[in-house]
Amino acid sequence: MRIFDPHIHMTSRTTDDYAAMAAHGVRALVEPAFWLGQPRTSVGSFVDYFDSLVGWEPFRASQFGIRHHCTIALNPKEANDPRCREVLDILPRYLAKDGVVAVGEVGYDSMTPEEDDVFAAQLELAERFELPVLVHTPHRDKAKGTTRTLEVVRESGLDPSMVVVDHLNELTVGEVADSGCWRGFSIYPDTKMDPDRMVAILTEYGTERVLVNSAADWGKSDPLRTYATGQAMLAAGFSADDVDQVLWRNPVAFYGQSGRLELEGADADEGATFEGNSILRGARAS
Amino acid sequence: MTDLRRSRAVPSSWLDEQLDGRLAPEAAAWLAGRRDEVVRRPELLGEVFPAVARQVGRDVVDDAWTVDEAARALLLAALATVVPAEHLSTALAEVYRYGDAAEKRAALRALAVDEVAELLGDRAVPILADAIRTNDQRLLAAALGPYATAHLDADAFRQAVLKCVFSGVPLALVDGLPDRADADLAQMMTDFAAERTAAGREIPVDIHDYLAKQED
């Protein structure tokens, strides 16, 4: 099983996580810029964070044979802090970089007017830099937030195939499927989605235009939920090819729209060896 | 210690000659368009500079230059034709500040372009200091080109050379050697060699020419 985790915050994870991910077939990932738990109060903190997303963190990932890419944005939660608004001014410098494969996470947290402005401004940046967009949907008032998100995306004129709407569940998936946007699901140990609920949604809505991620971060989360979902799919009768589509080919297709994915050497099909690696052996043994 | 290259002084016309024929037509057209754009709207440098390598490629030109570094240096050389020194200095400091490792190296390498160095005077010394503070061999090697030879003071130059020895950057890549070697540097090298010997470790072979002369 080859896995591309399209949404995981490795900055908050340990090298043990990288080792476990590599052993379970994770060969590539995208780390979206988001908030860090502790609110930031100046642009400088964001600049250092962005530098880490294009510098130190890809280096760490490479030590485990994992390709690291990132998305860059001012996240909706911190968009409400006037001290952080100037982050918008430095985004173009980062959106032009090689390892940056989307604008994100953007979207709504509390659906304030400030969030409206920042969301719209960043959708314009996505168009200007010809990048896909990763849209976060709110934890509270999710259904209404999702509806409003889709309206804003529609008004922006962006091609829906360039947009993934993330953190969906049974209540919000239908509307996003109808919009033509990609559907993103974060599989968590307790909250959001679990592997069995994910399998039920895949059964109902199919395996096209869907991204499954662990969204693992500094909170209680699990970087192997992608792998667990793949196993649950197989147990429910999905083929290995279906699993490969959801966990590898779909994220490659979505982020590949940036023209900046670097997967050479990491994308050998299942059964192939990667420099005689132990990745598949690890996966089978666990 | 892979991919360590020297910085060697060249006029921008030499870079143009090197890129001529090395770039695919689309890449050459892209670069020409961006140079015009930066001349007309200097504020766009910040978003053009990072995008260069995936447009023009990263092929090696010689022991000093790669295609992407040459292209980035030409953007700065183009800017140097239309803005005052202070403006160029700020623009360079910003592409260095916000740059990833490859962009930082390119910003340092651009200091070896005659037109850029002449306009800047000593204004880019702070970015040399930053590069020398890092532990990145490639940045260190890129920093110690002709601009450093001309503008680093004696203390900073000696410390930078010692850091090369300490971190494994071959001294042959340092533009200012052997010309700027002095008795103080020789003493620092000798002390370094003595520490290594006391610790039972090897001494880099390329420092022998720079050790203080021992009385026999």
Side-chain angles (χ1 to χ4, degrees):
Chain A
M1 193 184 292
R2 54 179 182 169
I3 298 172
F4 185 132
D5 193 331
H7 181 156
I8 182 165
H9 301 282
M10 293 312 297
T11 299
S12 304
R13 310 301 305 193
T14 64
T15 47
D16 281 358
D17 285 334
Y18 270 123
M21 289 162 67
H24 287 77
V26 178
R27 302 183 197 179
L29 59 85
V30 166
E31 174 158 10
F34 202 55
W35 79 300
L36 290 173
Q38 176 70 41
R40 284 165 286 205
T41 59
S42 70
V43 176
S45 316
F46 280 86
V47 170
D48 291 339
Y49 174 60
F50 294 158
D51 282 343
S52 162
L53 292 183
V54 298
W56 176 243
E57 208 53 49
F59 169 75
R60 285 213 312 153
S62 72
Q63 301 306 295
F64 298 88
I66 295 175
R67 303 301 167 94
H68 182 289
H69 302 83
C70 71
T71 77
I72 293 285
L74 172 58
N75 65 79
K77 189 172 173 67
E78 289 173 307
N80 289 300
D81 187 332
R83 292 171 298 185
C84 300
R85 280 290 285 267
E86 288 169 37
V87 170
L88 289 179
D89 299 335
I90 58 144
L91 289 180
R93 290 181 182 277
Y94 287 90
L95 293 178
K97 290 192 191 298
D98 290 341
V100 178
V101 294
V103 175
E105 299 180 53
V106 296
Y108 288 116
D109 179 58
S110 301
M111 291 184 272
T112 62
E114 288 78 10
E115 291 174 31
D116 274 328
D117 293 348
V118 171
F119 188 11
Q122 296 189 100
L123 289 177
E124 283 178 26
L125 285 173
E127 176 128 48
R128 180 164 135 213
F129 285 89
E130 300 176 351
L131 286 172
V133 189
L134 170 59
V135 186
H136 160 99
T137 54
H139 304 293
R140 307 169 302 276
D141 211 3
K142 186 181 281 289
K144 199 167 122 210
T146 305
T147 303
R148 187 150 150 197
T149 294
L150 291 172
E151 281 168 13
V152 172
V153 169
R154 220 171 0 254
E155 283 165 15
S156 76
L158 282 177
D159 183 341
S161 66
M162 290 289 275
V163 178
V164 58
V165 183
D166 209 353
H167 313 316
L168 300 182
N169 59 27
E170 293 85 348
L171 303 180
T172 52
V173 56
E175 194 180 357
V176 176
D178 292 343
S179 74
C181 293
W182 287 69
R183 310 184 295 276
F185 297 90
S186 300
I187 316 299
Y188 262 34
D190 301 319
T191 57
K192 293 184 177 153
M193 292 295 296
D194 67 32
D196 293 331
R197 286 165 63 198
M198 188 66 237
V199 166
I201 287 177
L202 288 167
T203 304
E204 183 172 352
Y205 289 91
T207 53
E208 298 282 335
R209 285 205 179 190
V210 56
L211 302 183
V212 171
N213 61 71
S214 72
D217 57 11
W218 34 260
K220 191 179 176 194
S221 49
D222 176 3
L224 302 182
R225 289 287 91 183
T226 47
Y227 173 77
T229 301
Q231 294 296 85
M233 285 178 70
L234 293 173
F238 281 97
S239 69
D241 189 67
D242 293 330
V243 173
D244 191 64
Q245 181 188 8
V246 171
L247 294 182
W248 185 266
R249 300 199 302 272
N250 281 354
V252 169
F254 178 72
Y255 289 116
Q257 297 179 104
S258 68
R260 303 187 202 171
L261 276 186
E262 289 287 345
L263 296 173
E264 211 170 302
D267 58 353
D269 209 343
E270 186 162 17
T273 56
F274 180 61
E275 296 180 0
N277 73 22
S278 57
I279 288 176
L280 295 180
R281 285 202 296 279
R284 279 196 294 271
S286 62
Chain B
M1 212 197 297
T2 57
D3 199 24
L4 289 183
R5 275 169 292 110
R6 67 173 62 252
S7 286
R8 193 181 60 244
V10 294
S12 66
S13 58
W14 184 87
L15 294 175
D16 269 319
E17 287 162 23
Q18 298 308 309
L19 291 189
D20 198 22
R22 275 197 171 85
L23 295 188
E26 319 82 68
W30 181 88
L31 181 59
R34 300 293 81 72
R35 285 165 79 175
D36 289 348
E37 192 170 56
V38 165
V39 165
R40 278 183 287 111
R41 297 182 57 198
E43 72 278 12
L44 289 181
L45 180 71
E47 63 190 70
V48 172
F49 199 80
V52 167
R54 63 178 179 275
Q55 299 291 342
V56 304
R58 298 171 176 82
D59 289 350
V60 171
V61 173
D62 64 8
D63 65 337
W65 293 91
T66 61
V67 164
D68 52 319
E69 289 174 356
R72 283 177 167 141
L74 284 171
L75 288 172
L76 286 162
L79 192 61
T81 63
V82 291
V83 300
E86 275 307 324
H87 184 130
L88 181 67
S89 170
T90 303
L92 179 74
E94 286 180 351
V95 294
Y96 180 86
R97 164 65 190 91
Y98 295 105
D100 62 20
E103 294 164 46
K104 280 183 160 63
R105 283 198 299 280
L108 293 165
R109 202 81 68 197
L111 293 172
V113 178
D114 297 342
E115 295 94 324
V116 173
E118 280 162 22
L119 184 60
L120 283 173
D122 63 1
R123 291 178 180 81
V125 170
I127 76 166
L128 288 187
D130 181 274
I132 292 166
R133 268 199 306 277
T134 69
N135 290 317
D136 185 327
Q137 295 172 320
R138 294 185 297 175
L139 276 188
L140 199 50
L144 293 179
Y147 187 87
T149 306
H151 296 286
L152 280 187
D153 66 33
D155 281 339
F157 182 79
R158 288 185 209 110
Q159 289 292 340
V161 171
L162 189 62
K163 192 153 188 179
C164 286
V165 173
F166 200 81
S167 59
V169 174
L171 296 183
L173 300 184
V174 178
D175 176 85
L177 291 178
D179 295 354
R180 287 196 66 183
D182 57 16
D184 287 350
L185 181 65
Q187 190 56 54
M188 289 162 77
M189 298 286 211
T190 304
D191 293 346
F192 169 81
E195 277 188 49
R196 279 280 169 105
T197 305
R201 299 174 65 191
E202 285 187 21
I203 302 166
V205 291
D206 62 352
I207 76 170
H208 283 106
D209 289 345
Y210 299 98
L211 298 178
K213 292 270 183 287
Q214 302 295 313
E215 301 304 323
D216 49 304

